[in-house]
Amino acid sequence: VELAESGGGSVQPGGSTTVSCAASGSITEISPTGWYRQVSGKERELIAGFTTDGRTWYAESVKGRFTAFKDNAKNAVSLQMNSLQPGDTAVYYCSFKYGMKTIWGQGTQVTVSS
């Protein structure tokens, strides 16, 4: 199973972008867990998590600005990011649970600057 991310890129402050992620390969026992981001020199942090009761949890730093979507039928997720700020500059990763393992997308750079 592989996760392929797309989207992101360079955005001006206040702008928007979307990062998408889709699973391919032998897709059984797979479910999306959420989106993480990693700022250079810091640990990877969870910013949006899909809970088992069907809701989505958001970190305070992105709540109200980011929205995570999932399409279970297509084994795909996306992260819509609005009102972006320079502090959102990071590499964004999708995460799925595959059996007992956690698997990751390759990472997508989002840079917010004027």
Side-chain angles (χ1 to χ4, degrees):
V1 175
E2 292 187 352
L3 301 180
E5 297 185 24
S6 60
S10 295
V11 185
Q12 292 190 340
S16 300
T17 193
T18 299
V19 181
S20 300
C21 172
S24 63
S26 180
I27 306 174
T28 58
E29 299 183 17
I30 189 170
S31 61
T33 54
W35 286 94
Y36 291 70
R37 71 182 181 188
Q38 188 166 20
V39 176
S40 180
K42 295 187 177 181
E43 292 187 357
R44 193 172 300 184
E45 62 170 343
L46 176 67
I47 57 170
F50 299 112
T51 65
T52 55
D53 61 359
R55 292 181 288 180
T56 305
W57 172 91
Y58 294 96
E60 285 298 321
S61 58
V62 306
K63 191 178 293 183
R65 301 187 298 122
F66 291 13
T67 304
F69 300 95
K70 64 176 180 176
D71 186 333
N72 290 326
K74 296 182 179 180
N75 288 308
V77 297
S78 60
L79 183 67
Q80 172 69 42
M81 298 178 275
N82 299 323
S83 301
L84 283 161
Q85 305 163 5
D88 295 316
T89 295
V91 178
Y92 286 75
Y93 297 89
C94 61
S95 170
F96 278 66
K97 183 178 180 182
Y98 178 50
M100 297 299 292
K101 299 188 300 182
T102 296
I103 58 175
W104 301 91
Q106 79 275 19
T108 300
Q109 178 70 46
V110 174
T111 302
V112 185
S113 69
S114 54

